[in-house]
Amino acid sequence: MEEFRILSPTGILGYGFPVESFKNGMGKRPHAIAVDAGSTDPGPYYLGSGISFTDRRAVKRDLEIILTAAIGQRIPVIIGTAGGCGGNPHLEWNLEIIKEIAREKDLRFKMAIIQAETSSDYVSACMEQGRLSSLYPAPELTTEQLEATVRIVGQMGIEPFLKALEYGVQVILAGRSYDPAVFAALAVKKGYDRGLALHLGKILECACVAATPGSASDCMFGYLGSDYFKVETLTDKRKCTTLSVAAHTLYEKTDPYKLPGPGGVLDLTGTRFEQIDGSCVRVTGSVFLPSEKYTVKLEGVKKSGYRTVSIAGTRDPVMIGKLDHILKAVQEITHNNFKESGMIYNLGFKIYGKNGIMGNLEPVRDIQSHELGIVIDVIAEDQEIANTICSFARSTLMHYGYEGRVSTAGNLAFPFSPSEFKAGEVYEFSIYHLIEVEDPNELFPIEILDIGV
Amino acid sequence: MKLKDIAQVIRSKNSGPFELTFDIIFKDRDMFEMICSKKIINRELISKLYNIPHEKVFSIIEFKPANAIKATIVRPVPSGNPGDTDVYGAQQHVPLLGIELEL
């Protein structure tokens, strides 16, 4: 069996890669170029707003290099979780970039678009049919939560990719995808073992994060054989070691021996990692165990309001010593000032130098810093209310006359003018659930396009 | 000796929006096995270090292929929710650095 070769240009589309590494990868004649374009890590905002957390210029730069190289050599390009979150606006955004590149570079190719967005009606029906289950510790889904949810995506497995490949497309742009699926699909289609292909995809999905020194902005190369796979870097600045590759298997996972995904579990109980040469690691023994019922993970967010923040600092030791009391007073004054108005808001403070980073998990109780950073964080039902409360809390905190105060001109140092920033809509994850499906493709409609024709 | 003296990697990260996972990767197999055999990284320790109830410690798993121990806790606030302080969960590892070891 000939080795199946696959190039992973970058950890996330738009994170960049050295052209030299990419050329080295192309020199190895890959059967496919695959790239994961998203993550839930940047939080719920991007799924809710329909905006990518990656930058358009940066995504275009990466895609331009990938597409111009791949289309000429007729190498399939498979992109998952388009636009950072893989909802319909994200997919549309990424498609527009591809069309623009095709126009500018005079490229022609057949392309598949796979949608991943689903409706709350569909999820509601799944709830009624008992096909929905929650993933502890995510909360149970209630009807109210579902009604408040503004966007839902399903995480597709390899099946929609296999189906799209049947159309003979050269580029696949998919909505929300199980990260390893974009790497594994073509290999599975060609008859390679699904467990090894998915594990290879799991390592390639963050590109050189699995190398040392790690980087999400450098290319990685994978080889898949009948009972093993190998990964290697494409630059002498980094290498794959058994430790770096095995360590990546842990990354962002709860149980590294059992990695659940669409349709089954990737079981790594018998996995072995061996160093082949200075920069290449060989992996054997990873097995895919299909589950009795095929499940798809859903991600959804609801809107919880609008945010305004103000960033400030204090250098005053008397103020730092009385900070808890001062913040409580500002809360009360703000509340009393607007209590007749009926405005609904949440006023919070993040205190850097105290527990701004760890919140309630912070074990250090006493402030040891000579200066503190203060972020006034207001979430309200609309932007104007958030602005009002943030502005009022900011001026109150600036001029609050606490006991023992000597710096009577003002309590805060503001690094910027304006001192408040409208952060816009605020979202929360409301759905993180599994649904049972009859057909792994049922949530993921495919559309075929001829680009550049 | 402290944990940071014998570990190569000590890190935290989201494992999905509702969990926070800690990886401790040891410099060599002997150290890893010794720490595992003494069960030094356990639920009580994690719950004490982060001042959370035992049931919020989701799992502790030893992963031999990477000489690693993984501990996962329930996120006190889901990623990006109002009140969250670390959307990626990448800066919650520090209490682990100072774990005192009597070897």
Side-chain angles (χ1 to χ4, degrees):
Chain A
M1 203 174 194
E2 189 199 13
E3 277 182 338
F4 181 80
R5 300 180 298 275
I6 186 155
L7 171 60
S8 169
T10 178
I12 285 184
L13 191 65
Y15 279 16
F17 50 84
V19 173
E20 200 53 42
S21 298
F22 183 79
K23 280 185 180 160
N24 289 340
M26 290 304 287
K28 292 174 186 291
R29 297 181 299 113
H31 295 97
I33 301 172
V35 59
D36 170 32
S39 169
T40 56
D41 250 4
Y45 173 77
Y46 302 95
L47 180 58
S49 64
I51 292 169
S52 182
F53 63 86
T54 50
D55 179 74
R56 192 181 197 281
R57 272 199 193 88
V59 169
K60 191 180 172 192
R61 178 268 181 194
D62 287 359
L63 266 178
E64 197 170 288
I65 295 169
I66 294 168
L67 289 175
T68 46
I71 302 300
Q73 296 186 41
R74 303 202 57 77
I75 298 168
V77 176
I78 305 173
I79 304 159
T81 311
C85 298
N88 286 349
H90 307 94
L91 203 56
E92 201 51 49
W93 177 84
N94 213 325
L95 176 60
E96 213 32 64
I97 297 172
I98 291 175
K99 284 180 174 169
E100 193 173 294
I101 294 167
R103 266 196 312 275
E104 289 169 7
K105 299 288 168 185
D106 196 23
L107 302 174
R108 292 172 183 215
F109 49 89
K110 197 169 174 182
M111 175 174 177
I113 308 288
I114 313 177
Q115 288 184 13
E117 208 171 306
T118 192
S119 67
S120 41
D121 288 348
Y122 175 85
V123 176
S124 172
C126 290
M127 272 172 93
E128 280 167 25
Q129 293 158 5
R131 289 160 63 198
L132 187 92
S133 55
S134 46
L135 278 168
Y136 177 82
E140 296 273 342
L141 185 60
T142 60
T143 315
E144 296 75 50
Q145 287 278 78
L146 182 58
E147 276 167 10
T149 296
V150 296
R151 196 185 314 284
I152 309 165
V153 289
Q155 214 180 82
M156 69 184 82
I158 60 169
E159 291 81 1
F161 292 97
L162 296 177
K163 199 171 157 193
L165 286 166
E166 282 170 18
Y167 292 95
V169 294
Q170 223 205 318
V171 176
I172 300 177
L173 180 70
R176 185 63 173 135
S177 312
Y178 176 50
D179 295 347
V182 290
F183 301 92
L186 186 57
V188 172
K189 187 174 192 293
K190 288 182 182 289
Y192 291 85
D193 178 73
R194 185 161 169 171
L196 289 167
L198 287 171
H199 192 193
L200 172 60
K202 167 74 197 124
I203 291 163
L204 290 179
E205 56 115 340
C206 285
C208 273
V209 171
T212 184
S215 169
S217 307
D218 202 348
C219 313
M220 186 84 116
F221 205 84
Y223 304 85
L224 184 58
S226 57
D227 58 356
Y228 67 91
F229 69 82
K230 296 182 292 185
V231 285
E232 67 178 7
T233 56
L234 295 162
T235 167
D236 50 18
K237 291 188 186 119
R238 317 175 193 286
K239 53 188 180 172
C240 286
T241 65
T242 49
L243 187 76
S244 73
V245 173
H248 189 63
T249 302
L250 294 176
Y251 190 62
E252 299 173 332
K253 294 286 171 252
T254 304
D255 179 351
Y257 287 115
K258 310 254 186 229
L259 306 175
V265 172
L266 181 57
D267 187 322
L268 307 186
T269 316
T271 300
R272 289 194 59 205
F273 299 85
E274 301 160 77
Q275 196 77 41
I276 297 292
D277 61 36
S279 68
C280 183
V281 168
R282 180 181 145 107
V283 182
T284 51
S286 311
V287 184
F288 180 74
L289 305 172
S291 50
E292 206 175 301
K293 286 176 176 156
Y294 196 105
T295 55
V296 168
K297 184 156 76 182
L298 299 180
E299 296 159 358
V301 296
K302 63 170 185 178
K303 191 150 110 181
S304 40
Y306 293 78
R307 171 177 275 132
T308 305
V309 297
S310 180
I311 300 170
T314 177
R315 181 68 177 75
D316 189 300
V318 188
M319 164 122 173
I320 290 172
K322 295 195 181 297
L323 191 74
D324 289 346
H325 158 77
I326 294 167
L327 296 180
K328 197 163 164 267
V330 171
Q331 289 272 18
E332 282 168 9
I333 295 166
T334 308
H335 173 76
N336 289 334
N337 198 68
F338 294 111
K339 69 179 168 198
E340 310 297 330
S341 72
M343 292 191 293
I344 296 169
Y345 63 86
N346 184 301
L347 167 61
F349 301 95
K350 295 200 189 318
I351 310 299
Y352 290 88
K354 185 185 178 214
N355 63 356
I357 292 171
M358 295 190 64
N360 288 339
L361 296 181
E362 177 58 66
V364 177
R365 292 288 157 199
D366 298 327
I367 297 173
Q368 293 163 7
S369 177
H370 65 284
E371 63 178 28
L372 297 178
I374 299 172
V375 176
I376 306 171
D377 175 15
V378 180
I379 299 172
E381 58 184 331
D382 67 39
Q383 189 72 62
E384 272 100 66
I385 297 174
N387 295 348
T388 300
I389 299 301
C390 191
S391 167
F392 187 85
R394 184 252 307 153
S395 57
T396 305
L397 181 56
M398 175 70 171
H399 298 293
Y400 180 67
Y402 56 85
E403 201 190 322
R405 186 190 196 210
V406 289
S407 62
T408 54
N411 300 327
L412 300 172
F414 294 99
F416 310 117
S417 170
S419 50
E420 275 130 39
F421 303 92
K422 299 180 192 92
E425 297 149 332
V426 179
Y427 297 90
E428 292 175 45
F429 285 107
S430 54
I431 299 183
Y432 198 67
H433 290 72
L434 294 179
I435 49 162
E436 284 170 19
V437 293
E438 286 294 322
D439 175 1
N441 294 303
E442 75 178 64
L443 267 76
F444 309 108
I446 299 174
E447 186 189 351
I448 306 296
L449 301 175
D450 285 304
I451 303 291
V453 177
Chain B
M1 196 186 291
K2 290 188 182 349
L3 189 66
K4 69 175 162 57
D5 301 320
I6 59 163
Q8 183 164 328
V9 172
I10 299 177
R11 66 186 180 190
S12 69
K13 194 77 199 278
N14 292 344
S15 172
F18 297 93
E19 291 171 39
L20 193 59
T21 191
F22 303 105
D23 299 344
I24 303 161
I25 306 177
F26 292 89
K27 286 177 184 161
D28 63 59
R29 173 55 62 106
D30 291 347
M31 271 308 175
F32 165 69
E33 282 178 349
M34 204 257 299
I35 299 290
C36 290
S37 70
K38 294 189 171 182
K39 297 281 168 216
I40 288 172
I41 310 299
N42 56 54
R43 266 170 209 271
E44 287 67 31
L45 178 73
I46 299 295
S47 90
K48 205 172 113 209
L49 281 176
Y50 288 92
N51 194 27
I52 52 173
H54 284 198
E55 65 271 17
K56 297 285 181 189
V57 183
F58 197 82
S59 63
I60 311 261
I61 294 171
E62 294 160 1
F63 188 58
K64 287 190 184 132
N67 297 335
I69 301 175
K70 197 174 220 330
T72 304
I73 66 169
V74 175
R75 248 179 171 279
V77 179
S79 169
N81 271 23
D84 185 25
T85 53
D86 186 359
V87 171
Y88 290 66
Q91 280 295 304
Q92 305 300 313
H93 60 291
V94 176
L96 300 170
L97 301 176
I99 293 173
E100 287 286 354
L101 305 167
E102 285 168 29
L103 303 175

